[in-house]
Amino acid sequence: MKACMIIGKANVGKTLFAINFAGYLGVPRLEIEFTTPGGEIYRRTLTQREAVEELTSPAPHHTLGLQAFDIQMPGLKGRKHFAVLDTSGLTDGIPEEPLVRRAMAQTLAQVRQAAVILHLIDASSVTKQGAVEAVGQVDWQVAQFGGMRTGYAILANKMDLPEAASGLLQIRREFPGHVIFPVSALLKTGFAEVKQFVWRHL
Ligand SMILES: Nc1nc2c(ncn2[C@@H]2O[C@H](COP(=O)(O)OP(=O)(O)OP(=O)(O)O)[C@@H](O)[C@H]2O)c(=O)[nH]1
Ligand SMILES: [Mg+2]
C-alpha cells in the first residue's frame, strides 16, 4: 500500500498530527497496524480519543515503532487507499538508548519507499531560548533528501502557540525552495492545504 510518511524529531507532534489528520480525512475509527522495530506486526482499532490518550505524550520518544493508519480518501476521481505512516522520532546523531536507536533505524528504512513525506518541525520551539536545538542537523538531512524527490513537504507544527509565528519565519528562511505548510495538529488548522498536497502526490 502507498504511504504518506510522517517524519521528524521527537516530540514535534507527529502522532497527534497523524491521528487528527486521519480524522480530518473522514476516518471515524482508526484502524492501525503497528510494526515493532523487531518486525512484529499487530493491529488495533481505536477511537480518536483513545488514540490521542494512548499514542501521544508530552515526553519525547513515546512512539517506538511504525504506526500505519488506514485511510480511504474520497475525491472527485474516485477513492485512494493509502496509509498515513507515523514513525519514531529522529535525533541529531546516533541515539544512546538501544530501543530508540533501533526505532530510528526502522524509520529511516521506510523513507525511500514512501510516496509522500511530511516532515514535521515544531515551529513553537525554533526560537525558544535555551531549548534543545529545535531545527537540528537531522532536519537538514531530511530536507536535503526530500528536495531530491517529489511529494516532500515541511509542516511547521504547533502554530497555535504564540512562539510559533517567529519560528515559522525562521523555518522559511532556513529551508528556502521547499514546500512549507503551517499547521496545528492540535487545532487541525492548515489541514486543507496538506490534504490537497497529499492527494496530488499519491
Ligand atoms: N499546542 C500544541 N501542542 C501539540 C501540537 N501537536 C502536538 N502537540 C503536543 O506535543 C506533544 C508531543 O506530541 P506527539 O504527537 O506525541 O509527538 P511525536 O512527534 O509523535 O513524538 P515522539 O513519538 O516522541 O517522536 C504532546 O503533548 C502533544 O499534545 C500542536 O499543534 N499544538
Ligand atoms: Mg509519536
Side-chain angles (χ1 to χ4, degrees), residues 7-12 14 60-64 87-105 107-108 119-120 132-142:
I7 196 168
K9 291 180 76 171
N11 209 237
V12 297
K14 296 179 297 299
H61 299 298
H62 187 69
T63 306
L64 291 170
T87 63
S88 309
L90 303 176
T91 59
D92 291 319
I94 302 164
E96 269 176 36
E97 173 69 44
L99 218 62
V100 174
R101 197 158 62 224
R102 284 171 66 202
M104 184 159 150
T107 297
L108 295 174
H119 174 188
L120 261 74
V132 203
E133 210 184 350
V135 176
Q137 282 280 332
V138 74
D139 286 305
W140 267 285
Q141 285 154 357
V142 171

Side-chain angles (χ1 to χ4, degrees), residues 6-186:
I6 316 297
I7 196 168
K9 291 180 76 171
N11 209 237
V12 297
K14 296 179 297 299
T15 302
L16 187 62
F17 175 80
I19 294 167
N20 283 345
F21 191 57
Y24 179 81
L25 296 178
V27 180
R29 283 176 76 77
L30 302 163
E31 307 276 342
I32 314 168
E33 184 184 272
F34 296 82
T35 308
T36 66
E40 189 196 333
I41 296 175
Y42 58 96
R43 289 184 180 78
R44 291 180 66 197
T45 305
L46 296 176
T47 63
Q48 298 271 133
R49 233 172 77 192
E50 288 166 342
V52 170
E53 180 77 13
E54 270 192 52
L55 306 180
T56 73
S57 164
H61 299 298
H62 187 69
T63 306
L64 291 170
L66 302 174
Q67 302 177 159
F69 296 75
D70 194 80
I71 311 284
Q72 309 247 8
M73 189 158 132
L76 291 174
K77 293 182 199 154
R79 286 172 169 278
K80 285 185 186 180
H81 188 193
F82 66 100
V84 166
L85 183 64
D86 180 30
T87 63
S88 309
L90 303 176
T91 59
D92 291 319
I94 302 164
E96 269 176 36
E97 173 69 44
L99 218 62
V100 174
R101 197 158 62 224
R102 284 171 66 202
M104 184 159 150
Q106 181 196 28
T107 297
L108 295 174
Q110 292 294 314
V111 169
R112 223 171 324 169
Q113 63 213 59
V116 175
I117 296 177
L118 302 179
H119 174 188
L120 261 74
I121 297 177
D122 178 353
S124 75
S125 57
V126 170
T127 55
K128 235 182 239 168
Q129 290 266 319
V132 203
E133 210 184 350
V135 176
Q137 282 280 332
V138 74
D139 286 305
W140 267 285
Q141 285 154 357
V142 171
Q144 201 169 29
F145 175 80
M148 300 187 298
R149 43 163 292 159
T150 61
Y152 169 79
I154 293 173
L155 269 53
N157 189 35
K158 307 198 186 181
M159 289 306 299
D160 57 286
L161 296 174
E163 307 86 359
S166 61
L168 173 63
L169 292 178
Q170 190 167 330
I171 291 168
R172 288 201 192 283
R173 270 198 304 272
E174 296 193 16
F175 299 100
H178 286 292
V179 177
I180 299 171
F181 297 115
V183 299
S184 165
L186 187 67

